Each structure stands twice: as C-alpha cells, then as structure tokens.
Amino acid sequence: MGKRRKQDRAASGGKREKIRDVFVPRPFAGLADEPDWVALRELVPAATAPLILEAELAGKYADRTVTLATVLPMAAPAVVRADGQIMIGLQRHAQSGDVSRDLAAALLAALETAPGDTVPVPPLPGPGPRLQDVLADGALTVQVHDSFAFWVEPETAANPAVQASLERADASIYPTTRMAAAPAAYWCRVGERAHVRWVLPGDEDRTLDTLARLSAAGDLPIGPQTRFAGMFRAHGLLVPVWDLPSGPEAAEWEQPLAEFAERLAAAASVTDPLDAAARRSRQGLLGRQLTLR
C-alpha cells in the first residue's frame, strides 16, 4: 500500500497538496441571526430551522429543501434523505477554523448528492463559499424540540432498532425553551438547576462594557432570587448566564427578561468612559468568562 501511494504521488507531481487552515473568530458575522446561529451551535440540544438558498442556488436546486439542525446522528455534517431533503448539522466532530466555510461546504456537497446517498464532506474544505455566500439573508425560524424524532424518516419510524436508538439519543436532551422577550435567549433546566442563557449581539468589548455598567449599578440580576453566574465566549459573542430558582417554568421569566433587556439597551446607549466602579466590575466579569470556541 505504501509503494502504491508513493507511485500515485509521483504521478501527480510528487507533492501532496496542503490545505491551509484559517481561524475566523466570528464566523457567523453578517448573518441576520448571528446570535441564534451561535446558540444553536453551542447551547441548544435539539432544534431545527429551515434555510433559504441564495437566488442562483435556489433556482438550480429548486427541488431541494434544506433544514438546519443542531445535531444529526453520529454528529454527521450533512444528510440527504431518500426524498431529497437535506439536513445540515451545526454540531459536528470534524471542523476547520472557519465554521461558516465548513457548513457551506457541507451544504454544497449535499446539494450535489443523490437522495439517500452519503454526503462526502472534507474535514478541511479549503478556501471557498461561506454561509454568507450561499444563503439568502433573513432571520432563522427556530423550532426547539424535546426529541430527535426529526432525524427519523417516516418509512423507518416503526423500526424497533430505530426507536431504541432514538430513545437513547433523547435521553441526552435537557428541557429548553426559546424566550420571546429577547432574541437568542434560551431558558433551560439541567438537572435540578434552571438557567437563562442569552447570546448578545455586537462587539465583545462593547458588550462587556455594557454589562459592567449594569453590574456596578447592581442591575445585573434579571429578577428576584436570580444570580448572574458568568459568561461564555462563543464565536466572537458574549453569552451571559443567569441561575434561576428551579421551580418556575420558562414563561414566568419572560417579563423579568424583557425588563432586563430594557436596562441592557439603556446601558448600551451610554458612550462615556467607564467610571472606577464599572472598571472594577469589568475586571470581575472578565474573571468569570469561559471560552467555548
């Protein structure tokens, strides 16, 4: 086998082509719902959203529908069902430094894949179109699920082996609700603890300054008996997390979150330099960050 590889390499010029990986810290920038893309990629266990192709691709592949999924079976990057429907997985094993390029490459490969066939997706796709190039600009219509049943094609749904596999996968899903009071904010219950996680748009430094102003003023909790737990940094955006009392369900936090969103917007409108108290709060917030990507 080694000799054959050397012969093949010699026939092609003697050198194996190297693909240079490039890290893009904010891969979803420019998409209408950048924070929701980050949330579905990093925080939400089971959700889907239909995708609309840009005009040229939509005309060429008018018979195909495309659905974004948080995760697919075996963390596959893409699946083409027997009826031709395409599903693209956000949470996957192999990835390059540019998540947007990875997803676009998977989508384009799926469009060229026959219904029911395996989609050939390279782990490092190299330069090429990104999501911002292949999708029509518009908001995501996110549907959160309490089951991975959206994986299953109708003709296999009754198969006992499929049902058993689905039950095992569903056991990993924790209750999650997309909040109406703020875009890309999600309530969840993990074990005995409940949280709100909100992916905030915009530049990280400006967002951090805004949160620091609120913290210095004592306005960082979203309501009584809530606690600011810290922040994730994910794909160039900040994701503050609040601990909540475990009893109330998601709907009971809509009004407190709406009121907090008003305080956040007011603090974001301030352009003066941070005062001493806010600077101290900013340093404290920096110490409570966890980088996801």
Side-chain angles (χ1 to χ4, degrees), residues 84-164:
Q85 180 185 350
I86 293 169
M87 302 195 80
I88 304 297
L90 265 170
Q91 302 168 18
R92 49 187 276 190
H93 294 310
Q95 60 189 32
S96 72
D98 184 357
V99 176
S100 178
R101 171 62 184 137
D102 292 342
L103 295 168
L107 173 55
L108 293 173
L111 289 169
E112 293 292 332
T113 300
D117 286 358
T118 300
V119 183
V121 180
L124 292 178
R130 307 173 73 244
L131 287 175
Q132 293 83 341
D133 304 312
V134 301
L135 297 180
D137 189 31
L140 291 174
T141 302
V142 177
Q143 182 179 359
V144 177
H145 303 274
D146 58 8
S147 169
F148 288 116
F150 60 85
W151 288 351
V152 181
E153 298 186 62
E155 58 271 21
T156 62
N159 185 306
V162 171
Q163 285 296 318

Side-chain angles (χ1 to χ4, degrees), residues 39-122:
L40 298 184
R41 165 82 177 185
E42 300 296 341
L43 304 175
V44 181
T48 56
L51 297 180
I52 307 299
L53 300 174
E54 60 84 23
E56 185 176 345
L57 287 174
K60 183 177 180 181
Y61 301 99
D63 60 333
R64 294 295 185 96
T65 61
V66 183
T67 300
L68 180 70
T70 49
V71 67
L72 294 174
M74 305 299 291
V79 168
V80 180
R81 290 182 162 185
D83 62 2
Q85 180 185 350
I86 293 169
M87 302 195 80
I88 304 297
L90 265 170
Q91 302 168 18
R92 49 187 276 190
H93 294 310
Q95 60 189 32
S96 72
D98 184 357
V99 176
S100 178
R101 171 62 184 137
D102 292 342
L103 295 168
L107 173 55
L108 293 173
L111 289 169
E112 293 292 332
T113 300
D117 286 358
T118 300
V119 183
V121 180

Side-chain angles (χ1 to χ4, degrees), residues 21-41:
D21 195 12
V22 177
F23 177 67
V24 178
R26 195 170 165 182
F28 303 114
L31 295 172
D33 268 352
E34 180 188 7
D36 260 318
W37 281 88
V38 173
L40 298 184
R41 165 82 177 185

Side-chain angles (χ1 to χ4, degrees), residues 173-194:
I173 298 176
Y174 49 81
T176 303
T177 299
R178 189 171 188 260
M179 304 293 285
Y186 290 81
W187 173 93
C188 66
R189 178 176 283 120
V190 183
E192 297 300 318
R193 295 189 172 188

Side-chain angles (χ1 to χ4, degrees), residues 208 212 215 228 230-231 277-289:
L208 186 58
S215 178
F228 179 77
M231 293 180 294
R279 289 196 298 272
R280 287 194 298 271
S281 292
R282 193 182 197 276
Q283 287 302 117
L285 292 173
L286 282 170
R288 300 168 73 181
Q289 286 187 143

